Amino acid sequence: MGLFSSSKKRVEPHGLLKDDAEQLARLESRGVDITAPRESEFAVCFKTQATADAAADSLRTDRVCHEVVLPSHDVPEWTIMLTVRNQPLVPDFLRDRVDLCIALADAHKGEYEGWVALLTDDEKDAI
């Protein structure tokens, strides 16, 4: 597990983890408007189906939209994908969603893998 390392240090201006702030800065440097509503995805991986199912149950209880992705293509883990549409990354959404994913991983013996932000239609046309 672990495509991304994550520093636990928070940085301003949005109180993000250092790695997330750096990723956000890379997006901005490429012309991405981080305040524009967009789709984003977050991944949390689990070594067993039982832990993935328990994590999914807790998300269902909290009414958090997610999908459980079964092991495949030589990836021996169950992944919970949290996909959110029409949310700007800042000021609060990214920090709050990353915190949710880390707490989910910690509570159910998983590992938070990271996030991706999809480009808006305008950004796709411009880049």
Side-chain angles (χ1 to χ4, degrees):
M1 282 195 234
L3 295 175
F4 304 101
S5 63
S6 67
S7 167
K8 298 291 184 190
K9 181 180 178 187
R10 300 275 177 174
V11 296
E12 291 307 323
H14 304 291
L16 296 171
L17 297 175
K18 184 176 182 242
D19 290 349
D20 293 327
E22 290 171 355
Q23 186 172 343
L24 201 63
R26 285 190 295 275
L27 289 172
E28 279 188 297
S29 73
R30 298 183 74 196
V32 171
D33 176 3
I34 61 173
T35 64
R38 70 184 60 253
E39 184 173 330
S40 54
E41 298 176 343
F42 301 79
V44 184
C45 294
F46 300 89
K47 290 186 179 191
T48 69
Q49 182 175 0
T51 55
D53 288 346
D57 287 344
S58 71
L59 290 172
R60 267 190 293 284
T61 298
D62 292 337
R63 297 179 163 271
V64 176
C65 186
H66 66 282
E67 176 185 358
V68 178
V69 180
L70 303 177
S72 66
H73 301 93
D74 297 324
V75 176
E77 300 162 342
W78 287 257
T79 302
I80 293 183
M81 296 296 299
L82 292 86
T83 301
V84 180
R85 290 175 179 79
N86 297 318
Q87 284 291 326
L89 296 171
V90 295
D92 299 322
F93 171 73
L94 181 58
R95 181 193 62 237
D96 293 347
R97 190 54 50 135
V98 168
D99 288 352
L100 170 74
C101 290
I102 291 171
L104 184 72
D106 289 348
H108 298 282
K109 300 178 183 170
E111 186 169 334
Y112 169 60
E113 291 289 325
W115 59 273
V116 296
L118 289 100
L119 298 176
T120 65
D121 289 338
D122 291 341
E123 290 165 347
K124 288 176 191 173
D125 292 340
I127 295 180

